[in-house]
Amino acid sequence: DSGVTQTPKHLITATGQRVTLRCSPRSGDLSVYWYQQSLDQGLQFLIQYYNGEERAKGNILERFSAQQFPDLHSELNLSSLELGDSALYFCASSVRGAYEQYFGPGTRLTVT
Amino acid sequence: EDQVTQSPEALRLQEGESSSLNCSYTVSGLRGLFWYRQDPGKGPEFLFTLYSAGEEKEKERLKATLTKKESFLHITAPKPEDSATYLCAVQGDSNYQLIWGAGTKLIIKP
C-alpha cells in the first residue's frame, strides 16, 4: 500500500458525459501527478500540481482539467468523453518534484 | 530532448534463470533514475532511485546499477512472482516530470 488513495476504482459512463476522479496523496506529500495509461500502453503524463499550484503540463487534452485543493487532495475532471478516453488513470504523489513518485491503485474508466 | 529507451520489450525466463533489463537514457543533468514494477491493472510500485554513476541498490532478487548512459536491473534466480512489467524513468534538470520508458514485460515460467 503506497498511501495514495484514488476513488472511484471503476467508472463506466457514456460518450459525451463528464466525470471527476479523486486522489488523496500520501501524508506530507505536496506534489500530485496525474497519468493516463491506455490498454497495453505506457504511462502518459497529464499534469502536476505542487502545493495547490500547477507545476507542469504534459499531453493533457483541453477537455481535461485538474486542480489541487488546500487540503492537498486533487481532482481530475474529464468532459465530453470519447471512447478513446477509456483507460486507467493514475495519481501519484511525492514529497517534492525531484523525488520518487508513489502511485495510487488507479481508476479504471470505461466509456461506452 | 530527454529520452528513455528500455530493452528488451519482453523477456521470458525459466524460474531460476538470471538476466538483466536495460534502460538507456539521454537527459540534461540527471537528477535521478527510478525503477518501478507494475502488475497488470495496478499502479506502478516504486523499487529504486539511483542518483549517480556507479551507484547500486539491491532488494531481494533485484539489483539496480547506473552508468552515465544506462541502468541495468539485474534479476537473480527469479521466481514466477517476479513476473511483471518493469518501468524505468529519469528526471533531469529541465523537467519537473519524469520521462518514462515503455517498460520491459518480464515473464518467469515455473
Side-chain angles (χ1 to χ4, degrees):
Chain A
D1 184 357
S2 68
V4 179
T5 61
Q6 290 187 248
T7 57
K9 293 185 75 172
H10 303 277
L11 200 50
I12 301 175
T13 189
T15 55
Q17 296 297 304
R18 172 189 170 96
V19 297
T20 297
L21 312 183
R22 183 188 169 103
C23 167
S24 292
R26 295 186 317 158
S27 177
D29 285 359
L30 299 180
S31 276
V32 169
Y33 310 78
W34 285 98
Y35 291 86
Q36 179 192 58
Q37 188 174 44
S38 302
L39 188 63
D40 292 332
Q41 297 295 309
L43 285 168
Q44 296 297 318
F45 169 70
L46 296 178
I47 197 164
Q48 178 202 356
Y49 280 83
Y50 176 78
N51 202 20
E53 294 189 4
E54 182 184 304
R55 175 62 64 91
K57 253 184 177 179
N59 299 319
I60 188 167
L61 300 171
E62 285 191 14
R63 301 183 284 109
F64 296 0
S65 65
Q67 55 183 330
Q68 186 179 27
F69 295 86
D71 66 352
L72 300 178
H73 92 271
S74 179
E75 292 181 356
L76 179 67
N77 300 295
L78 314 176
S79 62
S80 302
L81 285 167
E82 302 175 0
L83 296 177
D85 298 327
S86 296
L88 274 166
Y89 290 84
F90 292 108
C91 168
S93 72
S94 68
V95 174
R96 289 200 302 270
Y99 289 81
E100 56 267 13
Q101 298 174 19
Y102 292 86
F103 283 76
T107 293
R108 182 177 294 280
L109 174 66
T110 302
V111 182
T112 62
Chain B
E1 182 183 349
D2 297 346
Q3 193 170 358
V4 175
T5 303
Q6 291 188 247
S7 62
E9 287 187 17
L11 182 61
R12 295 174 187 269
L13 300 172
Q14 288 293 138
E15 183 174 1
E17 181 184 0
S18 301
S19 188
S20 298
L21 312 182
N22 178 264
C23 172
S24 298
Y25 65 92
T26 54
V27 65
S28 57
L30 180 70
R31 287 191 169 192
L33 184 142
F34 307 89
W35 282 99
Y36 287 82
R37 168 196 171 122
Q38 186 177 25
D39 292 303
K42 302 289 181 64
E45 174 190 348
F46 170 72
L47 295 174
F48 304 109
T49 306
L50 301 168
Y51 294 103
S52 57
E55 191 174 1
E56 298 183 353
K57 288 194 176 171
E58 284 188 68
K59 180 180 179 179
E60 296 180 356
R61 295 177 293 281
L62 300 177
K63 183 167 89 170
T65 62
L66 180 64
T67 73
K68 288 186 177 180
K69 296 290 185 185
E70 58 192 350
S71 176
F72 292 94
L73 185 65
H74 307 278
I75 302 176
T76 302
K79 299 181 178 181
E81 53 262 41
D82 294 323
S83 297
T85 295
Y86 290 84
L87 299 169
C88 171
V90 298
Q91 184 169 32
D93 283 339
S94 59
N95 273 309
Y96 285 111
Q97 68 264 30
L98 300 183
I99 307 302
W100 292 85
T104 293
K105 185 173 183 177
L106 178 65
I107 299 170
I108 308 299
K109 296 175 288 184

